[in-house]
Structures are given as C-alpha cells and as structure tokens.
Amino acid sequence: MWRARRATEACEACRSLVVRGALSLPRPRPASRSLQHARPPAARPPFQGSCQPFSSLSRPPPRRWKLSPARPGFQPRRHFWPARLAARLLRLRYLLLGSAVGGGYTAKKTFDQWKDMMPDLSDYKWIVPDFVWQLDEYIDLEKLSKALPDSEALAKLVPDLDKLAGSFSLLKDFFSTGDKWVSEVVGASDLLLLLGTSGETAFRATDASESDRQFKKGLLGELIILQQQIQEHEEEARRAAGQFNTGYSQQKRKVTDKEKVEQLQEELLRTQLKYQRILERLEKENKELRKLVLQRDDKGIHHRNLKKSLIDMYSEVLDVLSDYDASYNTQDHLPRVVVVGDQSAGKTSVLEMIAQARIFPRGSGEMMTRSPVKVTLSEGPHHVALFKDSSREFDLTKEEDLAALRREIELRMRKNVKEGYTVSPETISLNVKGPGLQRMVLVDLPGVINTVTSGMAPDTKETIFSISKAYMQNPNAIILCIQDGSVDAERSIVTDLVSQMDPHGRRTIFVLTKVDLAEKNVASPSRIQQIIEGKLFPMKALGYFAVVTGKGNSSESIEAIRDYEEEFFQNSKLLKTSMLKAHQVTTRNLSLAVSDCFWKMVRESVEQQADSFKATRFNLETEWKNNFPRLRELDRNELFEKAKNEILDEVISLSQVTPKHWEEILQQMLWERVSTHVIENIYLPAAQTMNSGTFNTTVDIKLKQWTDKQLPTKAVEVAWETLQEEFARFMTEPKGKEHDDIFDKLKQAVKEESIKRHKWNDFAEDSLRVIQHNALEDRSITDKQQWDAAIYFMEEALRGRLRDTETVLENMVGPDWKKRWMHWMGRTQEQSVHNETKNELEKMLKCNEEHPAYLASDEITTVRKNLESRGVEVDPSLIKDTWHQVYRRHFLKTALSHCNLCRRGFYYYQRHFVDSELECNDVVLFWRIQRMLSITANTLRQQLTNTEVRRLEKNVKEVLEDFAEDSEKKLKLLTGKRVQLAEDLKKVREIQEKLDAFIEALHQEK
C-alpha cells in the first residue's frame, strides 16, 4: 500500500512539472530508428519529383509526434504502439528474407538438375562454320540494320503473285492452244530458280566510306532490280493482253492468233533467260565471296585445322582400291561416275565443262584417251589440279599450266600403254579443285570404236569393250552415256553396250552432245525430241540431257563455250516449240543432276561395302593366325625395311674385321694367284743357270718385268675378290634361329648390284707398283728368324709343287703295283706307254743328276729306240711331255734337299758366301717374294679399311634406296604366301579404316 501511494504521489509531481513547463520530455522515435542509429542520421536532400518513389529497401522518414497538452485532473497514458508495429514488421522481414533465400536455393538446385539432364552441345560446335561466330567482327550489324528498309518497304518488293496469276489466267482464257506451253515454261522457270545456289551468302566488312556503294551492289540491290523487271514484264503482259482483247473484239488485228502466241512465247522465253542470267550473276558473286572465305581459312586466319572434304576422303578410298590386287570383287562396288561413249562423241568435252577447265589432250578425230582417267572434283579456294602421286599444282586459270597439264596427262597415258598395245587399263588419278565445283568422282574411259584402223593393235576394240564393261558392271556405278547428236542414231555403238549393263536404266544418265549441229543437220527436229524422251534408242535412263560443247575449236575457253551454249538455247526452236524442257539443257543442269545421283548412290551403298570389307578382314586375319601364329604381320615395305637394316648391319661388320685377319687372307690369296708365275717363270729358269751371278741377274730382270706389267693389277684383283668374299660371307652366313630365308633373294640381289657398281680406285695400282718394286729390290735379311721364315716359305711352296707334279705323273702312268693289287685297278694302253717312257727317262737321270732341263734330239732318239726294242712304239712329243714331269719332280726334290743344307747358311750369307761352297740365292729370292707379299697385303688392307669398305657401304645404301623406290623390284625379290597375305591384310584394313572415317563424316554432314 505504501508503495502504491508513493507511486501516485510521484506521478502527480511529474505531471505538475509537465504542465508548468519546467520539464520537457524527449521526442519519441520509432523503435527501428532507435535501434539502427546510435547517432542521429545525416540530413537527406528532399526528392524533387511529383511522387515519392518507394522501395522495399528504403526506410520511411520518421514521423513527428506531438504531445497533447495535459488537462487538469486527467492522468496521461504512454502510447508505444508504433514500437509494437515496427517489431512486427521486422519479424515479417525475417520471414520474407528466409523464404527468398530458401526459394532461391531450391530454384538453383532445380536449375542444376535440368542443366545436368541437357546434352553437351559443345562437341557439335564445329558444325557451324567459324566465320558465323565471328560475323560481328567483320559486319557492322547496327549499320546494316539502319541500311535495310523497314518491313513495309520490303513488303512492297515482293511480287504481286495474285496479279501475275490473273495475267496468266487471262492469257489462258484467250489462248487455249498455248495453255500447255505456258504451264511448261512456268514450270521450267521455277525449276531454274530452284536450281540456283540457296542460302550461301558471305559478307565482307567494308570501310564506312564505301558502305553505301557496296550496299547498292549487294543482294538488296539485286532484289530491287529483279522486282522492277518483274513489274515491267507484268505491265507488258497486261498491256499485250488488253490490246489483244480489244483487237479481238473489234476484229481489227492484222496478225493471226498463232503469230501472237509465238510472239508471247518468245517474250516469256527471253524473260526466263534474263532471270537465269541474273541468278547466274548472283551465284558468281556468291562464289567469289565463298572463295574469299576459303582463302582466309587456307591462310589460317581462324587458326583451326582444316579437315579433308568428303569427296577427298572418298577419292582416297577409290585410290587404295585401285591398287588392291586380290581375288576379291568388293573393290568394284563403290559408286563412281563412268563416262562412256563412242569415239569423238564429246565425252572429254562434257567432262571439261563439268570441271570448268580444258584439262585433257585434244586431237582431230584420233584416239586421245588411251587409259582411264579418274577425276575427283571438289570445292576449293583456287582452281587447281594435281596428280595423286605428285605434289605439283597446275593453276587452271593460266594457259601455260593448262598446256603443261595436258602434256603430262598425254605422257602418262603413253607410259601406261605397253609395247604392242593401243590402250591400257591402268588408271590415272587426277584431283581438280575450284570454287563452285560439284563434288563427285568421274572416270573418263577410252571411246568405243567399231573398226580397228592402221596403227592400232588388233585387239584394241575388244580391250576397250572389256575396260568399259569392267567399270559399268559395278552395280553402284552411275553410267554417263554420251551420244553424238550430229550423227545418225543408228551408228551408235555405246547405247547397245549400256543397255546390256543397265537394262532397266536405274543408274544411267543419257547426254546428247552437239545439239547445235543436230538442229542444223536433222531434217526432222522431232527426232531429237524422240531421243531426249527415250523413245528412239532401245535403252532406258534416269534422265536425258541436251548440251552444246562449243563450236569445235580447240582454243575456245570454258567461258566462251558456256556463253555460246546459253545463246544457242535462247534462240533454239527446240525450246521455243517445247521439244526440250529448260531443265534438260546446259551442262550446268547436267552437273547438278549427276552430283545428286552420285551422292544418293554413295549414301545408299557405302555402308554395305564397309560391312563386306569387315568380313574380308576377318577371313584374312584368321588365315594369318592359322599359318603364321608367331610372326608379326609385316607387309612388303615393312619386310624390306627389316632386310635393309640387316644388310646395313652386315656391311658395318666389315669394318670390324681385324687388320691381322685382312692381311692373312690377302697374303694367302695373293700367293695362290702369283705362285705359279714365280716358280715357273722366275725360279725355275733362274735355277738353270751355272753360277750365282747369272741367277741373280735373271731373277732381277724377271722380277722387274713382272712388277711393271702384271703384279699391281693382280694385287688389286686379289684385294677386290677378298672384299667380295668377306662381304658375301657376312651376307650369307646363317644367323641361327633369327635367320629368315625370305630375305635371301633380296640380299643376293643387293650383293650383286653393289659389287657391280663398285670400282676400285685407279690410283691404287700406281702407288702399289712403286711399293712392290722397292720391296723386291731389297735383299738384306737382318736376322736368323727372317732366314728361317724364308726357308720355311720356300719349302712349303716346293712341297706343294712336288705334290702337284706327282699327281700329274700318277695320272699319266696309272696306278702303281700296290693300288693295282689292293684296289683291283689297271692301266690303260696309253698309261703303259707313259710308264715305260718314265722308267727309261729315270734311268737317264740316274746316270746324270745334273742334266739340264731340256732333252737333246739325240737323247730323244735314243730313248725312242730303246723303247722300240722292247716293243713299245712312242712319239717324240710323248717323250718330251713325260720328260717335263720327270725332270720337274727331280728338280723339286733336289731343291728341297738344298733347303735343308741352307738352314745353317745364314752365317755364310752374312759373309756373302765367301770361302764357302754353299750358295743360297734361292732362299734370298723367296725371302724377297715373301716380304713383297707382306708389304702388299699391308698396303691393300689399309686401302680396304680406309676407303673401299666405306665406298662399298655407300654403294649398298644407294642400291637399297633404288630398290625401295622400285615397286616391281620389291615385288620380284620379296615373294611368298606370307608376303602376299600380309599385303592383302594391310590393304583391307586401310580400306576399312578409310571407309569408316568417310561414313562417320557423311553422317555428320547429314
């Protein structure tokens, strides 16, 4: 109670202070402002608008609260509802903020889930060309949008189709006879408009000063001109229709209805051709712009790797197939356009018009196409041509390059034709690129002939037929049948051949050439109409076309021929009288139709061919695993590289032969070559002399003659033969388990060709002659070891000669008594005579052991009479032959006994045999020969290791490089089932891989 009473008193006291003004209460503020601002906020400039903008983030300005004056007797009450309202609003803000955060998180999570479900389209970005992404860099879009008129102006440019329809219906009502013609002309005009290039327009960025002028020359300007011309001709048609209506009603016209119809037909035809030229001009500009874009890509402006075009990939597959020579027929089932026709029917000219260049050799009536020419047409920035096996590009815009290309094609054709033949089945592959070319692969075949003329092979006609049938029997090949329109249809040969290959005409396109000459020469133009409608020939076709390929002048350009063709069809009665339709004329329409048929056939058949090659590959791989399970699949080129490395390793092994081995084999082979000459022509004649002085003189003379004439040449021959034998030994020695006999023929051919090309240095003989001469002049034996070595060398040489002599004597006189009794051998009559003569001569030598080498005539007579006394008739020549061998054996035995005596003669040699009966000049001779052999072998070894081995290695490398470039040589030297199976497997894999890549690119293009 006392607390309540004191509170009441305190309230009364405060209220009295308030009333009197002694105490001023503070101004109340909203709770939010008091919480947010510790200090009073800065003053804000007032908003100058008509209405206060409101935002959820802005705060309302504080409201001034006024205190009501206190009345006496009334107790004031505190009002805190603004604070309560602010607190509630704050709670509402937290709820809204939480809901926004939660909803944002949920939305982000949902968006991420949708994003993960979407496919990744970044991999398909390449489908859109790079220049589309960079258009804003080259085109000022704002300037273009300002330059283009608004929608109303563009709507005015669109032709009034209702008025045109009314005009044509009016003509149809008045001229019922020309109704059919008008509908055909309108349809042909629509077809030509549709055949124009669609949707391919490229823009170039220009400077601000030239933008208006470029715009007037651009696409919009052409549309304006086209609209104006359409309006003009529409007015002319209405005016003509009105005039005719008036004239017809008044019967005041002097011309007949038929003349009026012809006049209107001519007008409409001129209009159609005029629009055609406009479209061609637009297409030409488009081609130039595309050429600029391709040139930018070619220069790498966009910094991307250009992929091969579809047609280039397909052409590579066909090139590999043409080289694939196996027992499979799948290589002939891929589509290509086969151009066939009679000789001089215009096949080559039609192909040149399609390629837009005069690329083939020309001749007046003679056969120029002597082998198939595969032409791959593709689009590119420059009009160029190049061969498959060459990197040279021929610029088809320059006449000198065109002439060089024609010469090259003619040379290749003549090279393909073998001796005794006129045509060849070997294909020449040519790629032609240029802006605006239709992508396809064409094969130009030799013209079909009816008669073999002089200068041709007898089987030329049959060969051409077989080549044409080989290409046309491919069920997927498109046959482009060329018929000369200037000759009688009954003289055609190719139509019968085509009808045999494609009786239903499902893949044949018929082309009638030289229509200008046909129109002049043919009495009945309806005959041409029958040909184009397929009613004259017994063959069927997908389509029929009529073209003009020039005036027959070989110097005409493609542009001149095209202009002449357009001018002819513009004035031709064949079109005016509706015998030909507009879409059936000109080579341009022909190329479009052929290209469409080609790609349609490719899409329908390429996957089936890929499947057949997969089956072929499986069969070949299975055969390899069964026959060669432990060998790698190396084709002919890989085997050649392996053999090449082995051969080079073996040649390098020659440089690792030790010098001692070289000198030993050189010395041995040189002595075997010269030993006969040394003993027979030098030693034996000198040994017949009576004293040592004469012996030495004879030896010196004969050695000098031998050194000057024969010895150096013999030494070089020995060195060359030694090198050959060592090289052959390294090449042919077995390598154990690593030896592969498939390389034997190749190694033998490389060895023979390398040795054939190798020539010894000519200066070697001159230097060797000086060295040998100096070595043979030296007679000073310095020590006892050299003396003993010379005696051993002399003994070995004499023993070898003695064995050879005894063998000759044994063959001359027959077996002795031991062999006769033990081996039951006997002597012939001649051998018995030789034996009696030998015994008689041996008795003579026993009587005189120092007998000279030759028999005197009286000694021969004595021997003959002694033999006759025993009943043996002999000839003096037989006695001499027997004496030569008997005396030779006696001399060699005496020389060997003399060698034993000279073993202790080195002391006497040092004293020059003074006060000694022993003379060993023959030992000195053999020492000189031995020393010459050693020095010669050393010199030849140095030349071999320093020069000749390296030159031989160089020759081997050159031979291997020549063999690597000669396919026929590798085909001849690397043979066998293993090689052929690996070759087939490699080709089939390559074809399958290229086909798979082509099919993948084809699907991507779709």
Side-chain angles (χ1 to χ4, degrees), residues 419-423 449 452-463:
E419 186 177 357
Y421 293 88
T422 307
V423 293
I449 61 174
V452 177
T453 60
S454 61
M456 292 185 180
D459 61 343
T460 302
K461 179 179 177 181
E462 290 75 13
T463 304

Side-chain angles (χ1 to χ4, degrees), residues 131-155:
F131 71 91
V132 174
W133 306 107
Q134 301 178 359
L135 281 177
D136 55 345
E137 299 180 7
Y138 301 98
I139 301 176
D140 193 348
L141 298 178
E142 295 182 0
K143 184 184 296 183
L144 183 62
S145 62
K146 294 177 181 178
L148 289 174
D150 54 5
S151 59
E152 296 180 357
L154 288 175

Side-chain angles (χ1 to χ4, degrees), residues 668 670-681 683-684 793-809 884-885 887-893 895-896 926:
Q668 179 181 355
L670 183 59
W671 172 242
E672 290 177 357
R673 185 66 61 86
V674 303
S675 59
T676 301
H677 181 83
V678 170
I679 294 175
E680 301 293 337
N681 298 333
Y683 174 62
L684 289 179
F793 176 65
M794 180 179 175
E795 286 181 344
E796 289 295 323
L798 294 178
R799 287 195 183 99
R801 292 297 163 178
L802 181 59
R803 285 192 296 269
D804 296 339
T805 304
E806 290 178 346
T807 302
V808 172
L809 273 174
H884 179 71
Q885 299 300 329
Y887 180 79
R888 183 184 182 85
R889 184 180 64 176
H890 170 72
F891 174 80
L892 293 173
K893 289 182 178 180
L896 283 172
F926 277 92

Side-chain angles (χ1 to χ4, degrees), residues 3-72:
R3 290 182 179 175
R5 191 168 47 250
R6 293 191 60 178
T8 303
E9 293 176 357
C11 289
E12 292 177 354
C14 292
R15 189 163 49 248
S16 63
L17 290 175
V18 171
V19 172
R20 295 175 184 178
L23 180 62
S24 61
L25 294 175
R27 182 177 297 173
R29 296 192 181 100
S32 60
R33 289 181 61 89
S34 63
L35 293 174
Q36 292 178 4
H37 300 283
R39 291 176 295 177
R44 295 182 181 178
F47 180 71
Q48 300 296 331
S50 60
C51 62
Q52 180 92 14
F54 177 75
S55 173
S56 61
L57 299 178
S58 61
R59 291 184 299 272
R63 185 177 178 182
R64 298 179 178 270
W65 297 90
K66 296 183 179 180
L67 293 175
S68 57
R71 287 178 295 179

